[in-house]
Amino acid sequence: MTEPATVKAALTSQSIETPSWAYGNSGTRFKVFARPGVPRTPQEKLDDAAQVHEFTGAAPTVALHIPWDTVDDYAALAAHARDRGLTLGTVNANTFQDDDFRLGSVCHPDPAVRRKALDHLLACVDIMDATGSRDLKLWFADGTNYPGQDDVRERQDRLAEALAAVYERLGDDQRMLLEYKLFEPAFYTTDVPDWGTAYAHCLKLGPRAQVVVDTGHHAPGTNIEFIVATLLREGRLGAFDFNSRFYADDDLMVGAADPFQLFRIMYEVVRGGGLTADVAFMLDQCHNIEEKIPAIIRSVMNVQEATAKALLVDRDALATAQRTGDVLEANAVLMDAYNTDVRPLLAEVREEQGLDGDPMAAYRRSGWATKTAEERIGGQQAGWGA
């Protein structure tokens, strides 16, 4: 049985990165829903992110999305983050919101379009240099809608060429994180559709190319924890994009649809040493109808709770049951940990850090939502594409 002190130490050191875009307006394909007090600038997004970290103590870094978070001075933006107790984290490239990318970006049949996309990726590395960010995250909407639309094999060659150019540009302490997605917006083929494709490209590039597992980017019934275990075993799990889905890439709050799946994933992370490895735990969510900051606080708490339960698994008892073929006992060991109410433990961890044991209640009492609604009048609220 894991000692409580060991569990507490692991939870205290856990860091969950929040995404800048989650603080802006988002919605469905039909409507983007605005709320009062939504940030208008990258700086105001960081101000909101600081609230999440203040009340959870577990969200010290913020991911940027370019061009959504474009500023004139990235070093100054990094300084703004530091002034609020944060650091800038992953830089996310965007090669899916330009008319030129209708048929793809780095996989596009036109060399000029491919060059435009590559230039954007290289510019994102320049931003990393200015912000001190370690990770460049690449997700490509590239793919085809119809059989025969383009040469599937040539598109993989184009992708490999672009990835190699970006990898060569990285600094020694920087990483490339390659994300995959089953489908959407391409419906016949997607150029990076699964973890195997991402892994194959990363393997050829080198050790600083790692795979991102977005928990929403899988077919129904996919055993995501198996993917996590395999990538950890191969030393190629670079990051998570935590969210939750009912049908496809719904980007709901992590743990909302299937908290047991999140627990199973986090158990494999614990089992594979992922808590102490260079695995980045990031949220990638769109809070369409709910308040942004409370939803992100809740998401951070959900990851913490799944992690705490995973840490409580009696691994000695589990190993014994597995070796002896005691199927029911092995399952019971996992279920005992999952059914444990870890909220008192996490409240204790927070209080020992000088935080309120209930981050949601503490945020509500802070009055931040009322304050920003009154102050952030005028200007253009941040949202998809801004």
Side-chain angles (χ1 to χ4, degrees):
M1 177 69 70
T2 307
E3 293 296 327
T6 303
V7 174
K8 284 185 177 182
L11 292 171
T12 301
S13 62
Q14 186 176 36
S15 176
I16 301 163
E17 187 165 292
T18 68
S20 68
W21 55 95
Y23 297 97
N25 289 321
S26 57
T28 69
R29 285 173 174 76
F30 309 105
K31 169 69 175 174
V32 172
F33 302 100
R35 296 190 66 91
V38 163
R40 298 161 296 180
T41 65
Q43 290 82 0
E44 289 182 348
K45 294 178 186 177
L46 293 174
D47 295 343
D48 282 2
Q51 296 298 303
V52 175
H53 184 46
E54 177 180 343
F55 294 110
T56 65
T61 61
V62 181
L64 300 181
H65 205 297
I66 307 300
W68 299 348
D69 293 316
T70 297
V71 294
D72 293 330
D73 188 337
Y74 289 98
L77 186 66
H80 184 90
R82 288 193 298 271
D83 288 344
R84 281 142 186 81
L86 304 170
T87 56
L88 298 181
T90 307
V91 173
N92 292 257
N94 182 323
T95 58
F96 52 87
Q97 285 191 315
D98 189 299
D99 286 345
D100 285 343
F101 299 147
R102 181 172 59 89
L103 299 179
S105 60
V106 296
C107 299
H108 197 286
D110 185 341
V113 175
R114 296 201 299 273
R115 183 69 242 183
K116 177 178 180 177
L118 178 58
D119 286 344
H120 170 68
L121 303 185
L122 297 176
C124 286
V125 182
D126 294 338
I127 293 170
M128 294 167 63
D129 293 340
T131 59
S133 299
R134 179 187 64 170
D135 294 337
L136 172 69
K137 187 186 294 178
L138 304 179
W139 172 72
F140 299 106
D142 293 40
T144 63
N145 278 359
Y146 297 99
Q149 177 181 324
D150 200 357
D151 189 292
V152 173
R153 179 166 176 160
E154 282 190 13
R155 291 180 73 90
Q156 289 296 307
D157 292 339
R158 299 166 197 159
L159 173 63
E161 181 180 2
L163 293 177
V166 176
Y167 190 84
E168 181 66 24
R169 168 64 184 83
L170 294 175
D172 292 340
D173 59 346
Q174 294 173 335
R175 305 189 305 174
M176 173 194 296
L177 305 178
L178 183 58
E179 187 173 349
Y180 59 90
K181 188 176 184 181
L182 179 66
F183 77 103
E184 189 194 38
F187 294 107
Y188 174 61
T189 64
T190 300
D191 290 310
V192 190
D194 51 43
W195 72 273
T197 304
Y199 174 69
H201 280 285
C202 289
L203 200 60
K204 289 185 178 180
L205 290 168
R208 287 178 292 115
Q210 304 274 305
V211 179
V212 178
V213 174
D214 184 307
T215 51
H217 287 188
H218 302 85
T222 298
N223 191 313
I224 300 174
E225 56 267 34
F226 173 81
I227 298 171
V228 170
T230 300
L231 289 173
L232 275 170
R233 182 174 178 271
E234 297 298 321
R236 292 287 175 162
L237 179 61
F240 281 99
D241 275 3
F242 281 126
N243 52 52
S244 198
R245 68 175 181 82
F246 289 101
Y247 299 104
D249 184 23
D250 302 334
D251 281 346
L252 301 173
M253 292 190 304
V254 57
D258 190 350
F260 185 48
Q261 180 191 63
L262 180 61
F263 161 75
R264 300 194 309 266
I265 290 170
M266 291 311 302
Y267 173 71
E268 292 303 334
V269 169
V270 171
R271 166 68 179 83
L275 288 184
T276 55
D278 286 333
V279 178
F281 300 96
M282 201 195 86
L283 307 179
D284 181 14
Q285 303 174 175
C286 290
H287 304 290
N288 301 338
I289 58 175
E290 63 269 32
E291 291 182 72
K292 316 302 180 185
I293 295 176
I296 297 169
I297 290 175
R298 176 63 67 190
S299 295
V300 171
M301 293 172 66
N302 287 350
V303 175
Q304 290 179 307
E305 290 177 16
T307 304
K309 292 181 178 185
L311 288 163
L312 289 174
V313 172
D314 188 337
R315 290 172 60 182
D316 290 338
L318 181 60
T320 298
Q322 291 169 342
R323 283 195 302 269
T324 59
D326 192 336
V327 176
L328 293 179
E329 178 60 21
N331 178 251
V333 171
L334 277 181
M335 295 308 300
D336 283 346
Y338 176 69
N339 289 323
T340 302
D341 185 357
V342 296
R343 291 173 297 178
L345 173 64
L346 280 162
E348 191 175 318
V349 168
R350 295 182 187 111
E351 289 165 358
E352 290 175 357
Q353 293 178 283
L355 304 172
D356 192 293
D358 185 345
M360 292 288 285
Y363 170 74
R364 297 291 189 194
R365 291 194 303 270
S366 74
W368 183 259
T370 300
K371 177 178 181 291
T372 53
E374 293 173 349
E375 292 179 352
R376 295 174 182 172
I377 303 296
Q380 179 66 45
Q381 289 187 331
W384 284 352

